[in-house]
Amino acid sequence: MFKNLALSALTLSTLAACETPAPGVTITPEALERVDSITAETVAPSVSPATAITTFDAFCGRFPANPAGTRAAVQANGYFLMATASFDGLEMWASENGAPLVALGNRDGAKVCMIMLKEGRDLSSAISNYVQQKHGGSAVNIGEMQFGADTAENVFVVPNAPPVIYFSLVQAQPGLGRVEAIATVTE
């Protein structure tokens, strides 16, 4: 699952750098109309930990395993569909108001929802507090996991039915610098 997320984040960075998208990635007509306003800051804005967690909760935390709920919420909040990727069902929703990008995906039965932002804020305590407030003692912190060059940090597993995994993923991306995705995955 984490490698799929890393691939999704790479797709996002390709779009942000205005390069030709990877095979299977389609930039939407609405994004092409807004191409002059889509910048690295649109894809990975620098926001406070509080804004990152509020955005994550509004679009991912409230709708685990419910992409339709997330889709409706981002549309209601002025986001536009920037791109899709056929290889993992990825949808990338961007905002022109400085809010983090929201991405949804579905691969091998796992549903992923994430936000993407510029790294540089210590999100560890914000993520930990969020998961503990949402799930209390049922959330198990398993620390971090290394996947090639990528590190999934703040990994929490909630043994619900279905289980929910929360984590952040830090990557160095061409054209963006270091970015972080806060994500939830459900089977």
Side-chain angles (χ1 to χ4, degrees):
M1 278 188 252
F2 295 110
K3 284 190 177 187
N4 295 342
L5 185 61
L7 180 59
S8 300
L10 178 61
T11 301
L12 295 173
S13 69
T14 300
L15 292 170
C18 299
E19 297 172 5
T20 303
V25 175
T26 302
I27 298 174
T28 67
E30 186 170 7
L32 291 174
E33 290 173 10
R34 299 174 186 227
V35 72
D36 291 335
S37 65
I38 298 175
T39 64
E41 188 68 19
T42 304
V43 175
S46 180
V47 298
S48 71
T51 298
I53 294 300
T54 299
T55 303
F56 177 78
D57 181 58
F59 303 121
C60 298
R62 291 187 183 163
F63 305 102
N66 182 359
T70 298
R71 198 173 294 114
V74 294
Q75 289 171 328
N77 282 278
Y79 278 71
F80 65 94
L81 183 60
M82 187 166 79
T84 60
S86 60
F87 49 84
D88 60 4
L90 186 70
E91 297 177 8
M92 293 160 270
W93 294 86
S95 171
E96 293 176 313
N97 69 3
L101 183 136
V102 177
L104 305 169
N106 186 356
R107 187 162 186 167
D108 300 328
K111 293 176 179 63
V112 177
C113 183
M114 69 177 175
I115 65 163
M116 190 169 176
L117 57 143
K118 185 85 171 160
E119 191 207 26
R121 311 281 184 186
D122 181 10
L123 296 175
S124 297
S125 61
I127 292 169
S128 179
N129 290 340
Y130 172 79
V131 173
Q132 294 303 318
Q133 287 175 359
K134 189 164 182 76
H135 298 286
S138 65
V140 178
N141 183 343
I142 61 171
E144 64 181 45
M145 301 175 80
Q146 194 70 31
F147 295 93
D150 300 322
T151 302
E153 300 174 335
N154 310 302
V155 181
F156 288 87
V157 177
V158 181
N160 290 347
V164 180
I165 301 168
Y166 295 90
F167 63 95
S168 60
L169 179 71
V170 178
Q171 295 183 315
Q173 295 293 340
L176 293 176
R178 292 188 54 82
V179 298
E180 187 163 5
I182 302 173
T184 182
V185 177
T186 55
E187 293 283 335

